[in-house]
Amino acid sequence: MNPMIEAGTAMNAAANTGAQLPRKGADQPPVLLYENVRKLYGDFVALNNVSLQVNKGEVMCLIGPSGSGKSTLLRCTNVLETLNGGRVLLDGVPLPTRETEIRKVRQRMGMVFQSFELFPHKTALDNVAMGPITVLGMRVREARTRALALLDKVGLASKAESFPAYLSGGQQQRVAIARALAMEPEVMLFDEPTSALDPETVGEVLNVMKKLAQEGMTMIVVTHEMSFAQRVANWVVVFENGAIMEEGPPAQIFDHPTVARTRDFLGHLGWNG
């Protein structure tokens, strides 16, 4: 049986019997642990005492209204923002504050933004190879060989010598994913990776992300793609006003939410399961 069908069958069986499947990776220490995380922008509370854990090999999707703190949490995870309270631990160690140590942490986490952030004057191959060469000190030939393999992984080996201007939005985002993977991260962070794409190219990017999930990559995904969250995530967290409104497996969040506001939010999106 196809692994995805088998997993879906098991989940449906558990739902029908009232049983709850164990959370993926729950038998190991969490990869990321958020303890009472607080982030302020002046008087605005972007994150209000958020406590959360991400397990190894887990795909966690963060959903909720725009401006509810989802992207801010990702930026705090990658130390692009400083906290005003609480702490974030990576493999049991609090995130550092010294710049030299921060750079080392960022090497362990790949981040894909809404905008592609590719270097326009470099080919797709060079965009992917640059990080390993300049940051990891990898030899050029080795880095380019790895970059080509990663472009093939995201379905773009034939576009290796193309410049970003000659790639579609979906292709550019796939190059950005390959570039993040080139650093061999332990965790991948996706900040609404399909929000700037045409509807026709969204599926290209989501399919690459689905493949990474099937390979066991630990992923945190901020998304408005509810179908992706429902089908691919192991754990879904609903945010509102900088706080966690509800969290649980997709079967709970999308089929049997325990909080009325979650039902309202999904209803406004036209979600009907």
Side-chain angles (χ1 to χ4, degrees):
M1 182 181 288
N2 181 292
M4 292 299 291
I5 296 175
E6 187 174 7
T9 302
M11 179 170 286
N12 289 336
N16 291 335
T17 60
Q20 183 169 331
L21 294 172
R23 184 172 175 181
K24 185 171 183 178
D27 58 335
Q28 305 175 56
V31 175
L32 282 162
L33 183 64
Y34 303 84
E35 296 181 339
N36 301 313
V37 171
R38 188 170 173 82
K39 175 62 184 177
L40 306 176
Y41 295 106
D43 294 329
F44 177 72
V45 180
L47 293 173
N48 190 11
N49 295 321
V50 171
S51 294
L52 193 63
Q53 74 177 53
V54 183
N55 297 331
K56 183 176 178 62
E58 188 170 54
V59 178
M60 175 179 287
C61 283
L62 311 183
I63 67 173
S66 297
S68 58
K70 308 180 300 295
S71 295
T72 301
L73 187 72
L74 279 198
R75 293 179 62 82
C76 291
T77 304
N78 209 23
V79 206
L80 293 171
E81 300 283 356
T82 57
L83 303 182
N84 297 105
R87 62 179 186 167
V88 181
L89 293 85
L90 175 63
D91 287 333
V93 179
L95 294 182
T97 55
R98 294 175 53 189
E99 187 58 37
T100 53
E101 297 300 316
I102 289 173
R103 285 197 293 269
K104 293 178 182 178
V105 165
R106 287 180 183 153
Q107 291 177 29
R108 299 171 62 188
M109 290 190 260
M111 189 158 183
V112 178
F113 299 88
Q114 297 177 34
S115 53
F116 321 123
E117 306 290 348
L118 298 179
F119 292 103
H121 60 290
K122 292 188 176 293
T123 64
L125 185 70
D126 288 335
N127 265 283
V128 177
M130 180 179 296
I133 294 170
T134 60
V135 179
L136 302 181
M138 188 177 291
R139 293 181 177 179
V140 172
R141 178 177 294 181
E142 181 182 356
R144 289 175 66 84
T145 299
R146 178 192 286 185
L148 185 58
L150 287 169
L151 286 173
D152 184 55
K153 182 184 183 76
V154 300
L156 290 174
S158 64
K159 300 292 185 179
E161 298 303 325
S162 297
F163 290 91
Y166 296 94
L167 299 175
S168 70
Q171 289 171 335
Q172 290 186 60
Q173 193 63 294
R174 283 187 282 159
V175 173
I177 293 172
R179 180 181 59 186
L181 292 173
M183 301 299 289
E184 297 186 332
E186 301 167 34
V187 180
M188 285 288 289
L189 311 175
F190 294 89
D191 186 9
E192 297 189 36
T194 61
S195 64
L197 303 182
D198 294 330
E200 292 182 349
T201 62
V202 167
E204 301 172 0
V205 175
L206 294 181
N207 284 336
V208 169
M209 294 168 63
K210 181 178 177 180
K211 183 177 179 181
L212 290 177
Q214 292 171 334
E215 293 173 353
M217 173 64 74
T218 305
M219 299 162 57
I220 309 177
V221 184
V222 174
T223 185
H224 292 293
E225 299 288 342
M226 297 299 113
S227 292
F228 175 85
Q230 193 242 7
R231 295 171 184 170
V232 179
N234 307 109
W235 200 256
V236 179
V237 183
V238 188
F239 273 78
E240 185 171 60
N241 297 327
I244 295 174
M245 185 162 52
E246 182 174 0
E247 62 177 303
Q252 171 192 320
I253 300 300
F254 293 103
D255 299 331
H256 307 286
T258 61
V259 178
R261 181 65 183 96
T262 301
R263 291 192 292 271
D264 291 343
F265 168 70
L266 294 172
H268 289 150
L269 297 178
W271 179 263
N272 55 10

